[in-house]
Amino acid sequence: MSVDTKDFKFAMRQCAGAVALVTVGAEHGKRTGLTVTSACSLSDNPPSLIVCVNRNASAHARIREEGAFAINFLHEDHAALALTFSGQKGVNGDDRFAFGQWTRGVTGAPVLTDAVAAFDCVLAQEFETKTHSIFVGEVRGVSHSDEAAPLVYLRSSFHVPREMRDTVTVGDLDSRHLSWTDFS
């Protein structure tokens, strides 16, 4: 039994995803990148992330060639940058880096200086599916800021998370004072 593609896409639009730019290319003129909501933490031993990249994306072959990439999680003021790297602004390849403030990570990958969090990675493993590759990146450099609100994509538009104002309780415990480690 297969699921209707339209139904699948509609259901996925109900799931919020952190917006990130995957960037690659140590040399000016050879840099590229794309906007994703498919990047997440894999492990802290060793520190690593995964990202799913369509094999038709310009960054796909470049990640394999360079053996390194950065994952730059965006904040609320980066919506135009997200659209630029998604191809919706008609800007391609290295020209996308004219927008935003960039530095070079330890791997040589372009790192957005004011990202909510940026992870400079070496390509550790790759898994192929029909349309995408799942890249595993071992982190070689990290930067972060807790000042700006993270950008998320939900129901076909950008949003920022908001704090829950009401107390949420788990039994007799006030969950605002709990961390994930309290449950393990």
Side-chain angles (χ1 to χ4, degrees):
M1 178 177 174
S2 70
V3 173
D4 179 70
T5 302
K6 220 162 101 177
D7 287 341
F8 173 76
K9 287 179 180 181
F10 185 78
M12 287 305 301
R13 287 184 186 122
Q14 309 315 305
C15 304
V19 181
L21 302 180
V22 177
T23 53
V24 60
E27 295 179 42
H28 287 282
K30 294 187 175 181
R31 299 174 299 178
T32 192
L34 71 152
T35 304
V36 302
T37 56
S38 62
C40 66
S41 170
L42 174 63
S43 176
D44 65 354
N45 185 23
S48 51
L49 289 90
I50 60 172
V51 63
C52 303
V53 177
N54 190 304
R55 291 202 309 260
N56 292 327
S58 63
H60 186 275
R62 298 288 298 128
I63 290 170
R64 284 179 168 169
E65 291 168 18
E66 295 272 336
F69 59 95
I71 300 175
N72 305 275
F73 287 92
L74 304 182
H75 62 66
E76 61 187 328
D77 294 333
H78 289 143
L81 192 59
L83 291 174
T84 299
F85 274 77
S86 73
Q88 295 185 41
K89 294 288 186 180
V91 181
N92 296 309
D94 199 73
D95 292 340
R96 294 174 176 172
F97 293 90
F99 306 92
Q101 299 297 314
W102 298 93
T103 189
R104 192 178 290 186
V106 296
T107 67
V111 174
L112 186 62
T113 59
D114 64 340
V116 169
F119 300 89
D120 187 20
C121 302
V122 293
L123 179 59
Q125 285 184 283
E126 176 184 351
F127 303 93
E128 288 193 24
T129 70
K130 186 174 182 179
T131 59
H132 288 66
S133 288
I134 302 164
F135 293 120
V136 176
E138 284 189 14
V139 179
R140 296 294 187 255
V142 63
S143 60
H144 56 86
S145 169
D146 59 0
E147 308 270 325
L151 187 66
V152 297
Y153 195 72
L154 173 67
R155 297 183 179 139
S156 301
S157 63
F158 295 117
H159 300 272
V160 292
R162 65 174 176 79
E163 298 285 327
M164 291 177 61
R165 301 275 182 215
D166 297 330
T167 302
V168 177
T169 59
V170 178
D172 295 326
L173 301 174
D174 182 345
S175 65
R176 289 182 298 182
H177 302 290
L178 296 177
S179 71
W180 284 110
T181 57
D182 294 326
F183 293 102
S184 54

